[in-house]
Coordinates of all heavy atoms in Angstrom, one line a residue:
Q1 N 16.2 -7.8 -10.0 CA 16.0 -8.4 -11.3 C 14.7 -9.0 -11.5 O 14.0 -9.4 -10.5 CB 17.1 -9.4 -11.6 CG 18.5 -8.8 -11.7 CD 19.5 -9.9 -12.2 OE1 19.4 -11.0 -11.8 NE2 20.5 -9.5 -12.9
A2 N 14.3 -9.1 -12.7 CA 13.0 -9.7 -13.0 C 13.0 -11.2 -12.4 O 14.0 -11.8 -12.5 CB 12.8 -9.7 -14.5
G3 N 11.9 -11.5 -11.8 CA 11.8 -12.8 -11.1 C 12.1 -12.8 -9.7 O 11.9 -13.7 -9.0
G4 N 12.7 -11.6 -9.2 CA 13.1 -11.5 -7.8 C 11.9 -11.1 -7.0 O 10.8 -11.0 -7.4
S5 N 12.3 -10.9 -5.7 CA 11.2 -10.5 -4.7 C 11.7 -9.4 -3.9 O 12.9 -9.1 -3.7 CB 11.0 -11.8 -3.7 OG 10.6 -12.9 -4.4
L6 N 10.7 -8.6 -3.4 CA 10.9 -7.6 -2.4 C 9.7 -7.6 -1.4 O 8.6 -8.0 -1.8 CB 10.9 -6.2 -3.1 CG 12.1 -5.8 -3.9 CD1 11.9 -4.5 -4.6 CD2 13.4 -5.7 -3.0
R7 N 10.0 -7.1 -0.2 CA 8.9 -7.0 0.8 C 8.9 -5.5 1.2 O 9.9 -5.0 1.8 CB 9.2 -7.9 2.0 CG 8.0 -7.9 3.0 CD 8.5 -8.5 4.3 NE 7.4 -8.9 5.1 CZ 7.5 -9.1 6.5 NH1 8.6 -8.9 7.1 NH2 6.4 -9.4 7.2
L8 N 7.8 -4.9 1.0 CA 7.6 -3.5 1.4 C 6.9 -3.5 2.7 O 6.0 -4.3 3.1 CB 6.7 -2.8 0.4 CG 7.2 -2.8 -1.1 CD1 6.3 -1.9 -1.9 CD2 8.6 -2.3 -1.2
S9 N 7.2 -2.5 3.5 CA 6.6 -2.2 4.8 C 6.1 -0.9 4.8 O 6.6 0.1 4.2 CB 7.7 -2.4 5.9 OG 8.2 -3.7 6.0
C10 N 5.0 -0.7 5.6 CA 4.3 0.6 5.8 C 4.1 0.7 7.3 O 3.2 0.1 7.8 CB 3.1 0.7 5.0 SG 2.0 2.1 5.4
A11 N 4.9 1.6 7.9 CA 4.8 1.7 9.4 C 4.0 3.0 9.7 O 4.3 4.1 9.1 CB 6.2 1.8 10.0
A12 N 3.1 2.9 10.5 CA 2.3 4.0 11.0 C 2.7 4.5 12.3 O 3.2 3.8 13.2 CB 0.8 3.6 11.0
S13 N 2.7 5.9 12.4 CA 3.0 6.5 13.7 C 2.1 7.6 13.9 O 1.4 8.2 13.0 CB 4.5 7.0 13.7 OG 4.7 8.0 12.7
G14 N 2.0 8.1 15.2 CA 1.2 9.2 15.5 C -0.3 8.9 15.9 O -1.0 9.6 16.5
R15 N -0.7 7.7 15.4 CA -2.0 7.2 15.7 C -2.1 5.8 15.3 O -1.3 5.3 14.5 CB -3.1 8.0 15.1 CG -3.1 8.0 13.5 CD -4.3 8.6 12.9 NE -5.4 7.6 12.9 CZ -6.5 7.8 12.2 NH1 -6.7 9.0 11.6 NH2 -7.5 7.0 12.3
S16 N -3.1 5.0 15.8 CA -3.3 3.6 15.4 C -4.2 3.6 14.2 O -5.2 4.3 14.1 CB -3.9 2.8 16.6 OG -4.2 1.6 16.1
F17 N -3.8 2.8 13.2 CA -4.6 2.5 12.1 C -5.2 1.1 12.1 O -5.7 0.6 11.1 CB -3.8 2.7 10.8 CG -3.5 4.1 10.5 CD1 -2.3 4.7 10.9 CD2 -4.4 4.9 9.9 CE1 -2.0 6.0 10.6 CE2 -4.1 6.2 9.6 CZ -2.9 6.8 9.9
S18 N -5.2 0.5 13.3 CA -5.6 -0.9 13.4 C -7.1 -1.1 13.1 O -7.5 -2.3 12.8 CB -5.3 -1.4 14.8 OG -6.1 -0.7 15.8
I19 N -7.9 -0.1 13.1 CA -9.4 -0.3 12.8 C -9.7 0.2 11.4 O -10.9 0.3 11.0 CB -10.3 0.4 13.8 CG1 -10.0 1.9 13.8 CG2 -10.0 -0.2 15.2 CD1 -11.1 2.7 14.6
Y20 N -8.7 0.5 10.6 CA -8.9 1.0 9.2 C -8.3 0.0 8.2 O -7.2 -0.5 8.4 CB -8.2 2.3 9.1 CG -8.8 3.4 9.9 CD1 -8.4 3.7 11.2 CD2 -9.8 4.2 9.4 CE1 -8.9 4.6 11.9 CE2 -10.4 5.2 10.2 CZ -10.0 5.4 11.4 OH -10.6 6.4 12.2
A21 N -9.0 -0.2 7.2 CA -8.5 -0.9 6.0 C -7.3 -0.1 5.5 O -7.2 1.1 5.6 CB -9.5 -1.1 4.9
M22 N -6.4 -0.8 4.9 CA -5.1 -0.2 4.3 C -5.0 -0.7 2.9 O -5.4 -1.8 2.5 CB -3.9 -0.7 5.1 CG -4.0 -0.3 6.6 SD -3.9 1.5 6.8 CE -2.1 1.8 6.4
G23 N -4.4 0.2 2.1 CA -4.1 -0.2 0.7 C -2.7 0.1 0.3 O -2.0 1.0 0.9
W24 N -2.3 -0.5 -0.8 CA -1.1 -0.2 -1.5 C -1.4 0.3 -2.9 O -2.3 -0.4 -3.6 CB -0.1 -1.4 -1.6 CG 0.6 -1.7 -0.4 CD1 0.2 -2.6 0.6 CD2 1.8 -1.2 0.1 NE1 1.2 -2.7 1.6 CE2 2.2 -1.8 1.3 CE3 2.7 -0.2 -0.4 CZ2 3.3 -1.4 2.1 CZ3 3.8 0.2 0.3 CH2 4.1 -0.5 1.5
F25 N -0.8 1.3 -3.3 CA -1.0 1.9 -4.7 C 0.4 2.1 -5.3 O 1.4 2.1 -4.6 CB -1.7 3.2 -4.6 CG -3.1 3.1 -4.2 CD1 -3.4 3.0 -2.9 CD2 -4.2 3.2 -5.1 CE1 -4.8 2.9 -2.4 CE2 -5.5 3.1 -4.7 CZ -5.8 2.9 -3.4
R26 N 0.5 2.2 -6.6 CA 1.7 2.5 -7.3 C 1.5 3.4 -8.4 O 0.5 3.6 -9.0 CB 2.3 1.2 -7.8 CG 1.6 0.5 -8.9 CD 2.2 -0.9 -9.2 NE 1.5 -1.6 -10.3 CZ 1.7 -2.9 -10.7 NH1 2.7 -3.5 -10.0 NH2 1.0 -3.4 -11.6
Q27 N 2.6 4.1 -8.7 CA 2.6 5.1 -9.8 C 3.8 5.0 -10.6 O 4.9 5.2 -10.1 CB 2.4 6.5 -9.3 CG 2.2 7.5 -10.5 CD 1.6 8.8 -9.9 OE1 1.8 9.2 -8.7 NE2 1.0 9.6 -10.8
A28 N 3.8 4.6 -11.9 CA 4.8 4.5 -12.8 C 5.0 5.9 -13.5 O 4.1 6.6 -13.6 CB 4.7 3.4 -13.8
P29 N 6.2 6.1 -14.0 CA 6.5 7.4 -14.7 C 5.5 7.6 -15.8 O 5.3 6.8 -16.7 CB 7.9 7.3 -15.2 CG 8.6 6.3 -14.3 CD 7.5 5.4 -13.9
G30 N 4.9 8.8 -15.8 CA 4.0 9.2 -16.9 C 2.6 8.5 -16.8 O 1.8 8.6 -17.7
K31 N 2.3 7.8 -15.8 CA 1.0 7.1 -15.6 C 0.3 7.5 -14.4 O 0.9 8.1 -13.4 CB 1.3 5.5 -15.5 CG 1.8 4.9 -16.9 CD 1.8 3.5 -16.8 CE 2.3 2.8 -18.1 NZ 2.3 1.4 -18.1
E32 N -1.0 7.3 -14.3 CA -1.7 7.6 -13.1 C -1.5 6.6 -12.0 O -1.1 5.5 -12.3 CB -3.2 7.6 -13.5 CG -3.6 8.8 -14.5 CD -5.1 8.8 -14.6 OE1 -5.8 8.0 -14.2 OE2 -5.5 9.8 -15.3
R33 N -1.7 7.0 -10.8 CA -1.6 6.1 -9.7 C -2.7 5.0 -9.8 O -3.8 5.3 -10.2 CB -1.8 6.9 -8.4 CG -1.7 6.1 -7.1 CD -1.9 7.0 -5.9 NE -0.7 7.8 -5.7 CZ -0.6 8.7 -4.7 NH1 -1.6 8.9 -3.8 NH2 0.5 9.4 -4.6
E34 N -2.2 3.8 -9.5 CA -3.2 2.7 -9.6 C -3.2 1.8 -8.4 O -2.2 1.7 -7.7 CB -2.8 1.8 -10.9 CG -1.5 1.0 -10.8 CD -1.4 -0.1 -11.7 OE1 -2.4 -0.4 -12.4 OE2 -0.3 -0.6 -11.9
F35 N -4.3 1.2 -8.2 CA -4.5 0.3 -7.0 C -3.7 -0.9 -7.2 O -3.7 -1.5 -8.3 CB -6.0 0.0 -6.9 CG -6.3 -1.0 -5.9 CD1 -6.3 -0.8 -4.5 CD2 -6.6 -2.3 -6.4 CE1 -6.6 -1.9 -3.7 CE2 -6.9 -3.4 -5.5 CZ -6.9 -3.1 -4.2
V36 N -3.1 -1.4 -6.1 CA -2.4 -2.7 -6.2 C -3.1 -3.7 -5.3 O -3.4 -4.8 -5.7 CB -0.9 -2.5 -5.7 CG1 -0.2 -3.8 -5.7 CG2 -0.2 -1.5 -6.6
A37 N -3.3 -3.4 -4.0 CA -3.8 -4.4 -3.1 C -4.4 -3.6 -1.9 O -4.1 -2.5 -1.5 CB -2.8 -5.3 -2.6
A38 N -5.4 -4.3 -1.2 CA -6.0 -3.7 0.0 C -6.3 -4.8 1.0 O -6.4 -6.0 0.6 CB -7.3 -2.9 -0.4
I39 N -6.4 -4.5 2.2 CA -6.6 -5.4 3.3 C -7.6 -4.8 4.3 O -7.5 -3.6 4.6 CB -5.3 -5.9 4.0 CG1 -5.6 -7.0 5.0 CG2 -4.6 -4.7 4.6 CD1 -4.3 -7.7 5.4
S40 N -8.6 -5.6 4.7 CA -9.5 -5.1 5.7 C -8.9 -4.8 7.0 O -7.8 -5.1 7.3 CB -10.6 -6.1 5.9 OG -10.1 -7.4 6.4
W41 N -9.7 -4.1 7.9 CA -9.1 -3.6 9.1 C -8.6 -4.8 10.0 O -7.6 -4.6 10.7 CB -10.1 -2.8 9.9 CG -11.3 -3.6 10.5 CD1 -12.4 -4.1 9.9 CD2 -11.3 -4.2 11.8 NE1 -13.1 -4.8 10.7 CE2 -12.5 -4.9 11.9 CE3 -10.5 -4.1 12.9 CZ2 -12.9 -5.5 13.1 CZ3 -10.9 -4.7 14.1 CH2 -12.1 -5.4 14.2

């Protein structure tokens, strides 16, 4: 519901991404993918 909270996780496998910056993006129906947040390596 509006006002609530969620915690998303992104688990990597097959290789380490520890030296790479990571980002979160989102795409709503009928809209282009947009940037949400990024974090340095």
Side-chain angles (χ1 to χ4, degrees):
Q1 288 189 330
S5 298
L6 284 173
R7 188 194 195 203
L8 306 184
S9 297
C10 170
S13 62
R15 60 170 283 187
S16 173
F17 288 96
S18 62
I19 62 171
Y20 294 88
M22 300 291 290
W24 283 96
F25 291 78
R26 65 186 179 186
Q27 186 166 21
K31 295 188 177 181
E32 294 185 352
R33 181 176 289 178
E34 70 165 346
F35 169 78
V36 176
I39 188 166
S40 61
W41 71 276

